[in-house]
Amino acid sequence: ELYAEGTFSDVTIHTNDTVLHCHRFILAAFSDYFRAMFTNGMAESQQRKIELRHVDGKTMTSIIDYFYGGSLKITSENVQNIAITSSMFNVSEIVDYCCTFLADSLSYTNCVQILIFAELYNFHPLTQIANNYILDYFEKCTGYDTFYEIPYPLLNKILPSERLAVKNELTVLNTLKKWVELDPSIRKDHLVGLLSHVRLAMIPVEQLIDFEEKETLLKESLPCFQMLLEAKNFHYLP
């Protein structure tokens, strides 16, 4: 009621399109950011107007509503904005809600996008959950085009993992091949390093020979060609 009617409001938050009439003690109770702002003894601690023009009004309204006892309606459309904004203002409780929502919504088609998001904003528990999901369902995830949006640093962490669940290492090799071919001008520079993570010697020699006959990109790289040759030779050892 205090919030809805603006009763005894002592501070206003101005976003890109919204003005919110709030109370310092409520903001400080939920947000370390606002607590620090109001108690730092600087001039801003006495300001009655907080300019947050870079913040989306609808997102900030949802967060402030939660502060005043309202329900937080998280959806697939707003979860990332709410998580980012809550993190910006050090509202860890809401960040945790958002990360749990995203973890529960992981699928073969969105796991890479969630991993990228979590890594970008340093949501470490969510990063680990999304990473493990990809490792556990690698063969399923790589069946969708969305997987191949994964950037090199994240792929470079996934391929060498002992947890990577594949029935045949040829799946990993074909995945790497497709990933490079989607943007060869940039990704081929990472080919040698990524190929070193593939356990080529575990691929049946017939499949290696068949792969090599059809493949041109790997054979253009001498180090890659040598790795394929060594893997084939491994099968002929006495």
Side-chain angles (χ1 to χ4, degrees), residues 9-23:
S9 169
D10 57 3
V11 65
T12 56
I13 294 176
H14 296 249
T15 70
N16 62 347
D17 59 1
T18 305
V19 176
L20 303 170
H21 297 273
C22 305
H23 303 81

Side-chain angles (χ1 to χ4, degrees), residues 6-169:
T7 307
F8 302 122
S9 169
D10 57 3
V11 65
T12 56
I13 294 176
H14 296 249
T15 70
N16 62 347
D17 59 1
T18 305
V19 176
L20 303 170
H21 297 273
C22 305
H23 303 81
R24 292 170 184 269
F25 77 96
I26 294 290
L27 298 181
F30 283 89
S31 165
D32 293 339
Y33 175 93
F34 288 118
R35 185 182 303 116
M37 175 184 289
F38 298 147
T39 59
N40 64 10
M42 304 296 286
E44 63 183 7
S45 66
Q46 303 302 318
Q47 290 179 354
R48 295 182 60 85
K49 179 179 179 181
I50 302 174
E51 295 279 1
L52 300 175
R53 299 295 182 182
H54 61 291
V55 176
D56 174 66
K58 189 174 182 179
T59 299
M60 198 67 195
T61 298
S62 295
I63 293 171
I64 298 298
D65 283 348
Y66 177 79
F67 289 176
Y68 283 86
S71 60
L72 186 64
K73 297 178 181 178
I74 298 176
T75 68
S76 57
E77 287 74 30
N78 69 17
V79 61
Q80 293 194 5
N81 281 339
I82 290 178
I84 294 168
T85 306
S86 298
S87 178
M88 184 188 311
F89 296 111
N90 296 326
V91 188
S92 57
E93 188 173 333
I94 295 181
V95 172
D96 290 344
Y97 287 155
C98 292
C99 288
T100 298
F101 179 93
L102 287 168
D104 290 342
S105 67
L106 279 165
S107 70
Y108 304 146
T109 58
N110 70 12
C111 53
V112 165
Q113 287 66 40
I114 290 177
L115 175 61
I116 292 171
F117 171 75
E119 181 79 8
L120 179 62
Y121 291 99
N122 296 314
F123 298 145
H124 299 300
L126 180 60
T127 298
Q128 191 60 52
I129 291 170
N131 189 77
N132 288 344
Y133 183 94
I134 293 171
L135 291 171
D136 292 342
Y137 301 102
F138 186 80
E139 292 186 341
K140 295 288 188 181
C141 297
T142 55
Y144 294 89
D145 290 341
T146 50
F147 175 86
Y148 298 91
E149 297 172 12
I150 191 168
Y152 162 72
L154 297 182
L155 185 60
N156 194 45
K157 292 179 182 178
I158 287 172
L159 293 187
S161 174
E162 292 295 326
R163 183 167 175 163
L164 187 65
V166 289
K167 297 176 182 177
N168 188 332
E169 203 72 13

